[in-house]
Amino acid sequence: MSDPAGVLADLRAESEELDLLVRELSEERWAAATPAAGWTVAHQIAHLAWTDAAALLAATDPGAFAVEVEKALAAPDRFVDEGAEEGAALAPGVLLARWRDGRERLHRVLREAPPGTRFPWYGPPMSAVSLATARLMETWAHGQDVADALGVVRAPTARLRHVAWIGLRARDYAYLVRGLTPPADPFRLELTAPDGVSGDAVWSFGPEDAPQAVTGPALDFCLLVTQRVHRADTALVAHGPDAEAWLAIAQAFAGPAGRGRAPKGARS
């Protein structure tokens, strides 16, 4: 996951796939409810545009970004929703143009970042590769909500490997954001690649001799760490009590602890 060009190419592909889903939508469809409570399709795209703008600010003006972080800390339960609400109120064409422009400008900045550069973020500072991977993860996750709202079944791609990687990398953050102590030992991930994805049949991360591990479908893991599915609705297997506990709180994204999704049987 150390190649900026490769990650950025995959981020562009992920963004363009989502763009294809929404570019021809009617205003009525932009207002369709998604699985995220209170969020429409427009909110999902607005959030991506807002977060791209925040990432661009972090990469180009750390001082100004620090002010935004202070605002987020002052209203941890509102700042994400407020950003989405502002963008969702725009006309669809205006919102699309804002999202496209912001993601292209961010792409250029990350592509041109000198090796070793680290950018501030709402969680730990990130390299250009990590920040691009985080944007890909968010684009895929919010794209899943959009697809669900529109009744579209997306074929999983090899780009999910980036989502799985950042999901494991964010393991300790998921504990710390909840005031918990992370396990001392690293975990092993062994995930079955989606059908039709060329390359290795199993994606492996972490030490081979790790005392605890998680195995199962890569798609299930990615849906879980982006909190798009409940643990009970996955085929993931935890090997060890700490690994099991982690799957109950895992989140690949920075910011406050996510609320997750209810089990399928508990949804209205």
Side-chain angles (χ1 to χ4, degrees), residues 18 29-30 46 57 67 83 93 99 108-109 115 125 129 137 147 158 166 171 196 209 235 241 257:
L18 176 54
R29 296 289 271 166
W30 275 95
L57 189 65
V67 174
W99 177 43
R108 288 197 300 268
V109 168
V129 170
M137 175 271 296
I166 202 169
R171 186 200 71 167
D209 61 350

PDB file of all heavy atoms in Angstrom, residues 18 29-30 46 57 67 83 93 99 108-109 115 125 129 137 147 158 166 171 196 209 235 241 257:
ATOM      1  N   LEU A  18     -18.932   5.823  -8.621  1.00  0.00           N
ATOM      2  CA  LEU A  18     -20.039   6.435  -7.883  1.00  0.00           C
ATOM      3  C   LEU A  18     -20.651   7.584  -8.683  1.00  0.00           C
ATOM      4  O   LEU A  18     -21.877   7.755  -8.706  1.00  0.00           O
ATOM      5  CB  LEU A  18     -19.551   6.930  -6.524  1.00  0.00           C
ATOM      6  CG  LEU A  18     -20.571   7.674  -5.655  1.00  0.00           C
ATOM      7  CD1 LEU A  18     -21.843   6.862  -5.448  1.00  0.00           C
ATOM      8  CD2 LEU A  18     -19.943   8.053  -4.306  1.00  0.00           C
ATOM      9  N   ARG A  29     -34.844  11.411  -6.995  1.00  0.00           N
ATOM     10  CA  ARG A  29     -33.920  10.329  -6.606  1.00  0.00           C
ATOM     11  C   ARG A  29     -32.781  10.860  -5.739  1.00  0.00           C
ATOM     12  O   ARG A  29     -32.278  10.148  -4.872  1.00  0.00           O
ATOM     13  CB  ARG A  29     -33.375   9.644  -7.850  1.00  0.00           C
ATOM     14  CG  ARG A  29     -34.420   8.948  -8.679  1.00  0.00           C
ATOM     15  CD  ARG A  29     -34.942   7.695  -7.986  1.00  0.00           C
ATOM     16  NE  ARG A  29     -34.141   6.527  -8.342  1.00  0.00           N
ATOM     17  CZ  ARG A  29     -34.194   5.368  -7.688  1.00  0.00           C
ATOM     18  NH1 ARG A  29     -34.982   5.244  -6.638  1.00  0.00           N
ATOM     19  NH2 ARG A  29     -33.468   4.338  -8.085  1.00  0.00           N
ATOM     20  N   TRP A  30     -32.361  12.096  -5.953  1.00  0.00           N
ATOM     21  CA  TRP A  30     -31.359  12.693  -5.081  1.00  0.00           C
ATOM     22  C   TRP A  30     -31.873  12.773  -3.642  1.00  0.00           C
ATOM     23  O   TRP A  30     -31.094  12.741  -2.689  1.00  0.00           O
ATOM     24  CB  TRP A  30     -30.997  14.100  -5.565  1.00  0.00           C
ATOM     25  CG  TRP A  30     -29.935  14.122  -6.626  1.00  0.00           C
ATOM     26  CD1 TRP A  30     -30.116  14.155  -7.967  1.00  0.00           C
ATOM     27  CD2 TRP A  30     -28.517  14.098  -6.421  1.00  0.00           C
ATOM     28  NE1 TRP A  30     -28.903  14.153  -8.613  1.00  0.00           N
ATOM     29  CE2 TRP A  30     -27.909  14.132  -7.695  1.00  0.00           C
ATOM     30  CE3 TRP A  30     -27.700  14.072  -5.287  1.00  0.00           C
ATOM     31  CZ2 TRP A  30     -26.523  14.119  -7.872  1.00  0.00           C
ATOM     32  CZ3 TRP A  30     -26.318  14.066  -5.459  1.00  0.00           C
ATOM     33  CH2 TRP A  30     -25.744  14.090  -6.725  1.00  0.00           C
ATOM     34  N   ALA A  46     -22.744  15.045  -0.613  1.00  0.00           N
ATOM     35  CA  ALA A  46     -22.326  16.270   0.066  1.00  0.00           C
ATOM     36  C   ALA A  46     -21.257  15.970   1.111  1.00  0.00           C
ATOM     37  O   ALA A  46     -20.302  16.747   1.289  1.00  0.00           O
ATOM     38  CB  ALA A  46     -23.526  16.955   0.717  1.00  0.00           C
ATOM     39  N   LEU A  57      -7.764  21.079   2.642  1.00  0.00           N
ATOM     40  CA  LEU A  57      -7.329  22.098   3.584  1.00  0.00           C
ATOM     41  C   LEU A  57      -6.188  21.568   4.454  1.00  0.00           C
ATOM     42  O   LEU A  57      -5.194  22.280   4.688  1.00  0.00           O
ATOM     43  CB  LEU A  57      -8.506  22.537   4.457  1.00  0.00           C
ATOM     44  CG  LEU A  57      -8.268  23.751   5.362  1.00  0.00           C
ATOM     45  CD1 LEU A  57      -8.031  25.004   4.521  1.00  0.00           C
ATOM     46  CD2 LEU A  57      -9.462  23.952   6.300  1.00  0.00           C
ATOM     47  N   VAL A  67      -8.011  24.856  12.961  1.00  0.00           N
ATOM     48  CA  VAL A  67      -9.206  25.575  13.416  1.00  0.00           C
ATOM     49  C   VAL A  67     -10.447  24.721  13.196  1.00  0.00           C
ATOM     50  O   VAL A  67     -11.350  24.666  14.048  1.00  0.00           O
ATOM     51  CB  VAL A  67      -9.343  26.922  12.677  1.00  0.00           C
ATOM     52  CG1 VAL A  67     -10.658  27.597  13.033  1.00  0.00           C
ATOM     53  CG2 VAL A  67      -8.165  27.833  13.010  1.00  0.00           C
ATOM     54  N   GLY A  83     -22.117  19.472   8.038  1.00  0.00           N
ATOM     55  CA  GLY A  83     -21.437  19.576   6.764  1.00  0.00           C
ATOM     56  C   GLY A  83     -22.234  18.948   5.634  1.00  0.00           C
ATOM     57  O   GLY A  83     -22.316  19.492   4.526  1.00  0.00           O
ATOM     58  N   GLY A  93     -26.911  19.728  -9.601  1.00  0.00           N
ATOM     59  CA  GLY A  93     -25.827  20.079 -10.512  1.00  0.00           C
ATOM     60  C   GLY A  93     -24.701  20.828  -9.824  1.00  0.00           C
ATOM     61  O   GLY A  93     -23.518  20.602 -10.110  1.00  0.00           O
ATOM     62  N   TRP A  99     -18.334  18.495  -5.817  1.00  0.00           N
ATOM     63  CA  TRP A  99     -17.669  17.233  -5.501  1.00  0.00           C
ATOM     64  C   TRP A  99     -16.572  16.914  -6.530  1.00  0.00           C
ATOM     65  O   TRP A  99     -15.456  16.550  -6.160  1.00  0.00           O
ATOM     66  CB  TRP A  99     -18.709  16.106  -5.448  1.00  0.00           C
ATOM     67  CG  TRP A  99     -18.151  14.743  -5.212  1.00  0.00           C
ATOM     68  CD1 TRP A  99     -17.178  14.388  -4.314  1.00  0.00           C
ATOM     69  CD2 TRP A  99     -18.538  13.542  -5.872  1.00  0.00           C
ATOM     70  NE1 TRP A  99     -16.937  13.030  -4.383  1.00  0.00           N
ATOM     71  CE2 TRP A  99     -17.760  12.498  -5.330  1.00  0.00           C
ATOM     72  CE3 TRP A  99     -19.481  13.250  -6.863  1.00  0.00           C
ATOM     73  CZ2 TRP A  99     -17.888  11.174  -5.754  1.00  0.00           C
ATOM     74  CZ3 TRP A  99     -19.621  11.945  -7.280  1.00  0.00           C
ATOM     75  CH2 TRP A  99     -18.828  10.915  -6.739  1.00  0.00           C
ATOM     76  N   ARG A 108      -4.602  16.099  -7.242  1.00  0.00           N
ATOM     77  CA  ARG A 108      -3.374  16.750  -7.699  1.00  0.00           C
ATOM     78  C   ARG A 108      -2.424  17.022  -6.541  1.00  0.00           C
ATOM     79  O   ARG A 108      -1.204  16.796  -6.645  1.00  0.00           O
ATOM     80  CB  ARG A 108      -3.707  18.061  -8.421  1.00  0.00           C
ATOM     81  CG  ARG A 108      -4.345  17.875  -9.782  1.00  0.00           C
ATOM     82  CD  ARG A 108      -4.252  19.164 -10.602  1.00  0.00           C
ATOM     83  NE  ARG A 108      -4.923  20.275  -9.961  1.00  0.00           N
ATOM     84  CZ  ARG A 108      -6.192  20.604 -10.170  1.00  0.00           C
ATOM     85  NH1 ARG A 108      -6.952  19.873 -10.988  1.00  0.00           N
ATOM     86  NH2 ARG A 108      -6.729  21.639  -9.564  1.00  0.00           N
ATOM     87  N   VAL A 109      -2.969  17.501  -5.425  1.00  0.00           N
ATOM     88  CA  VAL A 109      -2.122  17.819  -4.272  1.00  0.00           C
ATOM     89  C   VAL A 109      -1.462  16.558  -3.718  1.00  0.00           C
ATOM     90  O   VAL A 109      -0.250  16.554  -3.411  1.00  0.00           O
ATOM     91  CB  VAL A 109      -2.952  18.524  -3.181  1.00  0.00           C
ATOM     92  CG1 VAL A 109      -2.174  18.596  -1.874  1.00  0.00           C
ATOM     93  CG2 VAL A 109      -3.335  19.925  -3.630  1.00  0.00           C
ATOM     94  N   PRO A 115       7.757  12.848  -1.030  1.00  0.00           N
ATOM     95  CA  PRO A 115       7.805  11.620  -0.220  1.00  0.00           C
ATOM     96  C   PRO A 115       8.066  11.955   1.247  1.00  0.00           C
ATOM     97  O   PRO A 115       8.850  12.841   1.577  1.00  0.00           O
ATOM     98  CB  PRO A 115       8.983  10.841  -0.831  1.00  0.00           C
ATOM     99  CG  PRO A 115       9.080  11.347  -2.230  1.00  0.00           C
ATOM    100  CD  PRO A 115       8.694  12.797  -2.166  1.00  0.00           C
ATOM    101  N   PRO A 125      -2.000  11.858  12.209  1.00  0.00           N
ATOM    102  CA  PRO A 125      -1.528  12.394  10.926  1.00  0.00           C
ATOM    103  C   PRO A 125      -1.361  11.278   9.900  1.00  0.00           C
ATOM    104  O   PRO A 125      -1.097  10.118  10.256  1.00  0.00           O
ATOM    105  CB  PRO A 125      -0.183  13.035  11.278  1.00  0.00           C
ATOM    106  CG  PRO A 125      -0.276  13.332  12.744  1.00  0.00           C
ATOM    107  CD  PRO A 125      -1.103  12.215  13.323  1.00  0.00           C
ATOM    108  N   VAL A 129      -0.280   8.561   0.888  1.00  0.00           N
ATOM    109  CA  VAL A 129      -0.871   7.264   0.562  1.00  0.00           C
ATOM    110  C   VAL A 129      -2.017   6.948   1.512  1.00  0.00           C
ATOM    111  O   VAL A 129      -3.101   6.523   1.088  1.00  0.00           O
ATOM    112  CB  VAL A 129       0.191   6.148   0.616  1.00  0.00           C
ATOM    113  CG1 VAL A 129      -0.467   4.779   0.523  1.00  0.00           C
ATOM    114  CG2 VAL A 129       1.196   6.306  -0.516  1.00  0.00           C
ATOM    115  N   MET A 137     -11.675   4.671   0.929  1.00  0.00           N
ATOM    116  CA  MET A 137     -12.539   3.936   1.863  1.00  0.00           C
ATOM    117  C   MET A 137     -13.870   4.651   2.051  1.00  0.00           C
ATOM    118  O   MET A 137     -14.940   4.043   1.982  1.00  0.00           O
ATOM    119  CB  MET A 137     -11.810   3.778   3.200  1.00  0.00           C
ATOM    120  CG  MET A 137     -12.615   3.151   4.322  1.00  0.00           C
ATOM    121  SD  MET A 137     -13.559   4.366   5.300  1.00  0.00           S
ATOM    122  CE  MET A 137     -12.218   5.333   6.015  1.00  0.00           C
ATOM    123  N   ALA A 147     -25.831   3.199  -3.396  1.00  0.00           N
ATOM    124  CA  ALA A 147     -26.269   2.039  -4.175  1.00  0.00           C
ATOM    125  C   ALA A 147     -27.464   1.356  -3.514  1.00  0.00           C
ATOM    126  O   ALA A 147     -28.427   0.973  -4.187  1.00  0.00           O
ATOM    127  CB  ALA A 147     -25.116   1.055  -4.342  1.00  0.00           C
ATOM    128  N   ALA A 158     -11.161  -5.254  -6.755  1.00  0.00           N
ATOM    129  CA  ALA A 158      -9.891  -5.408  -6.047  1.00  0.00           C
ATOM    130  C   ALA A 158      -9.560  -4.174  -5.214  1.00  0.00           C
ATOM    131  O   ALA A 158      -8.682  -4.227  -4.339  1.00  0.00           O
ATOM    132  CB  ALA A 158      -8.777  -5.683  -7.049  1.00  0.00           C
ATOM    133  N   ILE A 166      -6.794  -0.383   5.523  1.00  0.00           N
ATOM    134  CA  ILE A 166      -6.969   0.730   6.451  1.00  0.00           C
ATOM    135  C   ILE A 166      -7.858   0.317   7.625  1.00  0.00           C
ATOM    136  O   ILE A 166      -7.725   0.841   8.729  1.00  0.00           O
ATOM    137  CB  ILE A 166      -7.505   1.983   5.725  1.00  0.00           C
ATOM    138  CG1 ILE A 166      -7.162   3.232   6.540  1.00  0.00           C
ATOM    139  CG2 ILE A 166      -9.002   1.899   5.468  1.00  0.00           C
ATOM    140  CD1 ILE A 166      -7.401   4.530   5.804  1.00  0.00           C
ATOM    141  N   ARG A 171      -7.234  -0.257  13.736  1.00  0.00           N
ATOM    142  CA  ARG A 171      -7.687  -1.076  14.872  1.00  0.00           C
ATOM    143  C   ARG A 171      -7.523  -0.348  16.197  1.00  0.00           C
ATOM    144  O   ARG A 171      -8.488  -0.214  16.973  1.00  0.00           O
ATOM    145  CB  ARG A 171      -6.903  -2.390  14.923  1.00  0.00           C
ATOM    146  CG  ARG A 171      -7.406  -3.357  15.984  1.00  0.00           C
ATOM    147  CD  ARG A 171      -6.368  -4.411  16.365  1.00  0.00           C
ATOM    148  NE  ARG A 171      -5.271  -3.853  17.137  1.00  0.00           N
ATOM    149  CZ  ARG A 171      -4.374  -4.602  17.791  1.00  0.00           C
ATOM    150  NH1 ARG A 171      -4.435  -5.925  17.736  1.00  0.00           N
ATOM    151  NH2 ARG A 171      -3.397  -4.025  18.472  1.00  0.00           N
ATOM    152  N   GLY A 196     -14.345 -13.204  -8.947  1.00  0.00           N
ATOM    153  CA  GLY A 196     -14.098 -12.429 -10.154  1.00  0.00           C
ATOM    154  C   GLY A 196     -12.950 -11.459 -10.052  1.00  0.00           C
ATOM    155  O   GLY A 196     -12.591 -10.815 -11.036  1.00  0.00           O
ATOM    156  N   ASP A 209       2.410 -15.167  12.511  1.00  0.00           N
ATOM    157  CA  ASP A 209       2.380 -15.835  13.814  1.00  0.00           C
ATOM    158  C   ASP A 209       1.587 -15.048  14.857  1.00  0.00           C
ATOM    159  O   ASP A 209       1.723 -15.285  16.059  1.00  0.00           O
ATOM    160  CB  ASP A 209       3.797 -16.076  14.313  1.00  0.00           C
ATOM    161  CG  ASP A 209       4.586 -14.768  14.501  1.00  0.00           C
ATOM    162  OD1 ASP A 209       4.095 -13.713  14.064  1.00  0.00           O
ATOM    163  OD2 ASP A 209       5.687 -14.821  15.078  1.00  0.00           O
ATOM    164  N   ALA A 235     -20.018 -13.240   7.699  1.00  0.00           N
ATOM    165  CA  ALA A 235     -19.474 -14.595   7.831  1.00  0.00           C
ATOM    166  C   ALA A 235     -18.051 -14.559   8.374  1.00  0.00           C
ATOM    167  O   ALA A 235     -17.276 -15.511   8.191  1.00  0.00           O
ATOM    168  CB  ALA A 235     -19.501 -15.294   6.469  1.00  0.00           C
ATOM    169  N   PRO A 241     -10.403 -14.051  21.745  1.00  0.00           N
ATOM    170  CA  PRO A 241     -11.366 -13.139  22.372  1.00  0.00           C
ATOM    171  C   PRO A 241     -11.119 -11.671  22.041  1.00  0.00           C
ATOM    172  O   PRO A 241     -12.065 -10.893  21.903  1.00  0.00           O
ATOM    173  CB  PRO A 241     -11.206 -13.412  23.875  1.00  0.00           C
ATOM    174  CG  PRO A 241      -9.827 -14.013  24.012  1.00  0.00           C
ATOM    175  CD  PRO A 241      -9.605 -14.786  22.766  1.00  0.00           C
ATOM    176  N   ALA A 257     -16.726   7.706  17.735  1.00  0.00           N
ATOM    177  CA  ALA A 257     -17.119   6.307  17.581  1.00  0.00           C
ATOM    178  C   ALA A 257     -18.428   6.212  16.807  1.00  0.00           C
ATOM    179  O   ALA A 257     -19.395   6.901  17.117  1.00  0.00           O
ATOM    180  CB  ALA A 257     -17.278   5.666  18.959  1.00  0.00           C
TER     181      ALA A 257
END
